[in-house]
Amino acid sequence: RMKRVLKQAQAQSPGVFLRTSTHMASTTLDPSTLANVSLAERLLSGTERLGAASINEDVMKTFVGTLHAASSLAQHHQHHQPSRHGRNSMLEAEQKHLPQRFPSASTRLHPRKPILDRTPISNNLLLSRFDQVESAVLDNMDPRPNAKKESGVYRSDKGTITTQEKFERNAKTLNNRLTRAIKSRRLKDSLEIFEKAMVTNAVDELDSKIYQNLIKFMAPRDVLGAYSCLKRYENVTGNTSDAQVYGYICNNLDRFDPGKVRPQHMVDMTRSLIRDLEKLDEAKQHWLFPQLVLSLTRQPFWEVGKIAAGLYRRMVKEEFPLTAKKLEQFVRCSKYARQKDLPYHEILEHIASKDGQPHTVTAIHALENLFPFTDTEATMTALGAIIDMQSTSVESESNKIYRIDIGALEHITAAAARKPNPDLNLLVWDALELFGYEPTETIYENTIQSFCMSYRKDDNCFEALAEMESKGFEPSRALIRSVSRSLRYSASRVDNAYYIVSGKNHWSEPKWSVGALNIVLSACGELGDVNRAFATFDEFEPNGLKPNLDSYCFLFEALDVDTDPKYRKDSISEEAIQATLEAAEYILSAMKADGIELAGHALQEYVHMLINIEDIDKALETVTNALEANLEIRNKTFFTVAMACCNRDRFDDARYFSSKLSE
């Protein structure tokens, strides 16, 4: 019925159509449905087809007032839902919202069909539809009634009106709509309004304050969309956005859903943002770049985070006014898996140079996040900075104590031993002294290894070894072998080690100890240098030292390597065999005198030596006696004897000794 009436009115004239449709919109006003909006859209489509030149402005204003009434009623009913018995009592209050131009509208609000019986629609949906209709109506509305447009100027009975007034009205409508969308937190509607302004070239009329509020509203919710709006606004208007607008983007660069954004998109956006910031003056760059660095370190993509390192080094190079507090904010972003985001060790050093004292947890975590401390240079820089902070704290009598865990210091010395980096180990010893720690056996061993693997540090190596033994720690076989492997590459270095231990280098005191002599013995044993080995062994008794099982083992090793066909260019002579057996008997008698049983590594080297000189029967007898005495026998010894028996077709003996192998 309503459609039929509208068609008849449309056939007569635009004015009749407009008055009829407006009257229907007001008399059938129902805030719980979209009937009024549907009529508005119908009116809008008819107005666009018929043209807006002959439509009366007062009638159009009445229609717009009707839509305002619809929005007000929708908000009122959404916040004040009445009870079933109070429906009719609220009709009078609702009728007050209707336009007074149409008194017959109240007669259509029949009590038998109260408008409150229907389910109210969403307030945001009704407001957004109202904004669309209102904008479209005002865009097609004449500035004066009965005016005709001629070459950009409106002619009417009341005078000549330029298009400037129309532009001002459209700009005011645009700003009002965008302000309402932002205040009601409608992101989608805000984007649609901005998009329409871009399409209709009305973005020039957008108020700068409202534009800033739009970016401020969008940045925490969609930083990519906010930056896109910023770039489009600048491209269309030709204006450079204020630093405050860029600040909204820089501060919220870490607020996005990583499941909906690709890392490459964020990388491209960040690089474009940096180019934009470079165009600003120096003072604004000093304010914005630190904020950008903080956001880059907080966002989840490592591809984007590593851009922050270049920005920080650029700020340092250009001497940005970075305070200790700002640098502490950088260090607070340190993460174990994101060490490439920022050079945190350099930042700690920068803070220490400014006599800054960050929070103890912040500084210690920045150091511990360098684990496993493979970057020894970065570790040394961070550790040195913390030591300086602790020294400053002690001098200033503050309560901050940058105490590093002893376990972390042990890990640092292990990394310094693998690298090697003896300077880092020396720094660890400074930290031990500063924090009042006692060095552990692990720290001693790592320090010794780092010295022995460094160039011309053998003197420091044996000095640390002597101190280790003076503290009651016994050097392990693994440590001795590790040091001897570094010495064995050159016979002259073995001689230098012997001179250091004996004090014959004339610039240091003797460092006689069982561990030091065992290191020299082990190096001689691996070289197969029997003469140097026995000469070193003879130094035990004059210096009041007692050899242990490893000492005798290294002597047997020297005999073993000397008689091994793999290391000899010619076959061993009978005289050499006899001399070897005599030396072995001397070692066995010395072991017996010291009460040391032939077992373990010493038994293995002795048996292998006997096999080298083809004394297989004595080798089998020695192993059998060790089995009967229930001594320690390594699997390698059983394997060596079994293979020797197989090579000599003694398969029963081979089967017997191979059965003794453990899993």
Side-chain angles (χ1 to χ4, degrees):
R1 179 181 174 184
M2 293 168 60
K3 292 180 180 179
R4 184 169 64 252
V5 174
L6 287 175
K7 287 182 179 180
Q8 294 174 0
Q10 182 177 350
Q12 293 183 16
S13 67
V16 174
F17 169 76
L18 184 57
R19 288 184 177 85
T20 304
S21 58
T22 306
H23 182 72
M24 286 184 177
S26 62
T27 55
T28 59
L29 185 63
D30 188 349
S32 61
T33 65
L34 287 177
N36 55 327
V37 182
S38 299
L39 285 175
E41 293 176 345
R42 177 75 176 177
L43 167 63
L44 177 61
S45 61
T47 304
E48 291 175 349
R49 288 196 301 271
L50 297 175
S54 60
I55 298 177
N56 187 278
E57 181 185 7
D58 295 334
V59 178
M60 185 64 74
K61 287 183 177 180
T62 302
F63 175 71
V64 173
T66 303
L67 296 181
H68 275 292
S71 299
S72 300
L73 282 175
Q75 297 179 17
H76 178 76
H77 291 309
Q78 193 169 21
H79 292 86
H80 304 281
Q81 291 292 342
S83 63
R84 182 177 182 86
H85 301 287
R87 293 170 182 166
N88 296 334
S89 62
M90 294 191 62
L91 291 177
E92 296 179 0
E94 294 166 1
Q95 293 172 9
K96 294 180 181 179
H97 294 277
L98 299 178
Q100 298 299 322
R101 183 181 178 89
F102 304 102
S104 60
S106 60
T107 60
R108 303 301 300 270
L109 298 174
H110 199 276
R112 290 179 297 177
K113 295 182 180 180
I115 60 176
L116 300 176
D117 284 342
R118 304 178 184 180
T119 304
I121 62 173
S122 170
N123 183 27
N124 289 340
L125 177 60
L126 183 57
L127 287 175
S128 62
R129 298 292 296 273
F130 165 70
D131 288 339
Q132 296 174 8
V133 174
E134 181 187 25
S135 176
V137 171
L138 292 180
D139 287 345
N140 292 280
M141 193 169 109
D142 293 340
R144 290 287 190 274
N146 302 323
K148 295 182 180 180
K149 184 178 181 182
E150 296 179 3
S151 64
V153 179
Y154 288 95
R155 303 288 182 181
S156 67
D157 297 338
K158 297 183 179 181
T160 302
I161 302 93
T162 62
T163 57
Q164 180 64 26
E165 296 184 18
K166 181 179 180 181
F167 291 156
E168 291 177 357
R169 295 186 182 186
N170 290 342
K172 184 176 181 181
T173 303
L174 171 65
N175 292 328
N176 290 339
R177 291 179 57 213
L178 190 55
T179 300
R180 285 196 300 270
I182 294 173
K183 288 184 177 180
S184 57
R185 296 292 186 266
R186 290 179 283 142
L187 179 60
K188 183 177 180 181
D189 293 343
S190 301
L191 290 175
E192 290 179 356
I193 296 171
F194 183 81
E195 184 67 27
K196 182 178 179 180
M198 294 292 299
V199 173
T200 59
N201 294 326
V203 72
D204 291 332
E205 305 299 328
L206 186 63
D207 186 78
S208 59
K209 186 65 176 178
I210 299 177
Y211 162 69
Q212 290 184 11
N213 292 336
L214 174 64
I215 301 300
K216 181 179 180 181
F217 168 62
M218 290 181 60
R221 295 161 178 82
D222 182 11
V223 66
L224 281 173
Y227 184 69
S228 176
C229 292
L230 183 149
K231 295 297 294 181
R232 295 178 64 188
Y233 176 83
E234 291 184 348
N235 293 336
V236 172
T237 61
N239 301 327
T240 302
S241 298
D242 189 74
Q244 187 68 35
V245 178
Y246 281 109
Y248 297 145
I249 303 295
C250 294
N251 286 331
N252 295 282
L253 198 61
D254 57 329
R255 297 187 179 184
F256 62 89
D257 187 358
K260 298 180 180 180
V261 180
R262 293 184 178 180
Q264 188 59 41
H265 293 167
M266 293 300 300
V267 171
D268 296 339
M269 173 194 161
T270 304
R271 290 174 178 170
S272 176
L273 180 60
I274 293 173
R275 289 192 293 268
D276 293 340
L277 298 182
E278 290 173 348
K279 299 176 183 178
L280 302 177
D281 56 53
E282 185 176 354
K284 295 177 180 178
Q285 291 185 24
H286 291 175
W287 174 55
L288 291 174
F289 271 118
Q291 298 182 27
L292 178 59
V293 169
L294 285 174
S295 295
L296 290 176
T297 55
R298 291 168 181 165
Q299 55 81 38
F301 294 140
W302 65 268
E303 299 94 334
V304 184
K306 65 182 182 181
I307 301 176
L311 290 178
Y312 171 76
R313 290 192 169 94
R314 173 181 176 179
M315 290 189 293
V316 173
K317 182 179 180 181
E318 296 180 5
E319 298 182 353
F320 276 44
L322 297 174
T323 62
K325 290 293 184 182
K326 179 62 69 175
L327 294 173
E328 183 180 356
Q329 293 180 5
F330 292 162
V331 179
R332 203 174 294 149
C333 299
S334 173
K335 302 181 186 65
Y336 169 71
R338 295 276 296 274
Q339 288 300 304
K340 292 185 178 181
D341 287 2
L342 281 176
Y344 295 105
H345 56 285
E346 296 180 7
I347 300 176
L348 282 175
E349 186 179 30
H350 199 173
I351 295 175
S353 65
K354 294 177 177 291
D355 293 334
Q357 292 186 359
H359 195 277
T360 56
V361 176
T362 301
I364 299 302
H365 280 185
L367 173 64
E368 293 177 347
N369 286 336
L370 293 172
F371 181 85
F373 309 108
T374 52
D375 189 351
T376 56
E377 295 297 331
T379 304
M380 187 164 61
T381 302
L383 181 59
I386 292 178
I387 291 176
D388 293 340
M389 293 175 190
Q390 178 63 27
S391 301
T392 304
S393 176
V394 172
E395 294 175 359
S396 61
E397 297 182 357
S398 65
N399 296 326
K400 292 185 178 180
I401 301 177
Y402 299 91
R403 185 176 294 276
I404 306 173
D405 184 72
I406 188 66
L409 294 176
E410 288 182 348
H411 282 292
I412 293 174
T413 56
R418 289 190 298 267
K419 197 68 177 178
N421 191 335
D423 294 334
L424 178 56
N425 265 317
L426 293 176
L427 197 61
V428 170
W429 281 84
D430 292 341
L432 293 174
E433 182 179 358
L434 182 62
F435 299 131
Y437 288 135
E438 287 292 333
T440 63
E441 184 178 7
T442 302
I443 293 178
Y444 275 117
E445 291 182 348
N446 293 331
T447 304
I448 292 169
Q449 290 187 45
S450 64
F451 282 137
C452 74
M453 290 170 30
S454 302
Y455 181 66
R456 292 188 175 182
K457 296 290 184 180
D458 293 346
D459 194 7
N460 302 93
C461 171
F462 285 103
E463 186 175 353
L465 181 67
E467 183 177 343
M468 175 183 177
E469 291 185 289
S470 66
K471 294 290 185 179
F473 299 113
E474 182 179 354
S476 63
R477 177 182 173 85
L479 175 63
I480 293 173
R481 297 295 278 185
S482 175
V483 177
S484 67
R485 288 191 183 98
S486 301
L487 301 177
R488 70 179 182 181
Y489 291 105
S490 171
S492 60
R493 190 174 181 185
V494 176
D495 290 338
N496 180 61
Y498 173 76
Y499 293 148
I500 292 173
V501 173
S502 60
K504 295 180 180 180
N505 51 11
H506 305 296
W507 65 76
S508 63
E509 297 180 358
K511 301 176 179 61
W512 298 112
S513 68
V514 176
L517 289 176
N518 280 346
I519 288 174
V520 179
L521 275 175
S522 177
C524 295
E526 292 184 272
L527 290 173
D529 194 336
V530 178
N531 294 330
R532 280 194 177 91
F534 276 91
T536 304
F537 182 78
D538 292 339
E539 297 290 346
F540 277 94
E541 186 176 354
N543 293 284
L545 302 175
K546 184 178 181 180
N548 55 19
L549 181 61
D550 288 332
S551 306
Y552 294 109
C553 173
F554 299 142
L555 285 177
F556 280 125
E557 183 181 16
L559 296 176
D560 178 23
V561 173
D562 183 58
T563 57
D564 197 331
K566 294 186 297 183
Y567 304 108
R568 295 184 64 90
K569 297 181 180 179
D570 53 356
S571 58
I572 187 170
S573 62
E574 290 294 334
E575 296 179 357
I577 293 175
Q578 189 62 31
T580 301
L581 290 175
E582 291 178 358
E585 289 297 330
Y586 170 77
I587 298 172
L588 290 174
S589 61
M591 292 179 65
K592 186 176 181 180
D594 292 335
I596 300 176
E597 298 286 348
L598 182 63
H601 290 278
L603 176 62
Q604 174 186 325
E605 300 294 345
Y606 177 64
V607 169
H608 198 271
M609 181 209 68
L610 293 175
I611 294 174
N612 289 339
I613 61 177
E614 298 296 331
D615 196 349
I616 186 67
D617 293 331
K618 191 170 185 178
L620 297 181
E621 180 184 356
T622 303
V623 176
T624 303
N625 293 336
L627 278 172
E628 293 176 354
N630 202 18
L631 299 177
E632 178 191 359
I633 304 177
R634 303 181 73 242
N635 276 341
K636 189 174 181 180
T637 305
F638 288 123
F639 177 78
T640 302
V641 173
M643 290 300 298
C645 292
C646 288
N647 293 334
R648 293 161 178 78
D649 298 335
R650 301 175 62 168
F651 299 110
D652 294 336
D653 294 334
R655 189 178 298 108
Y656 170 75
F657 287 108
S658 61
S659 65
K660 301 298 181 180
L661 289 169
S662 62
E663 297 182 359

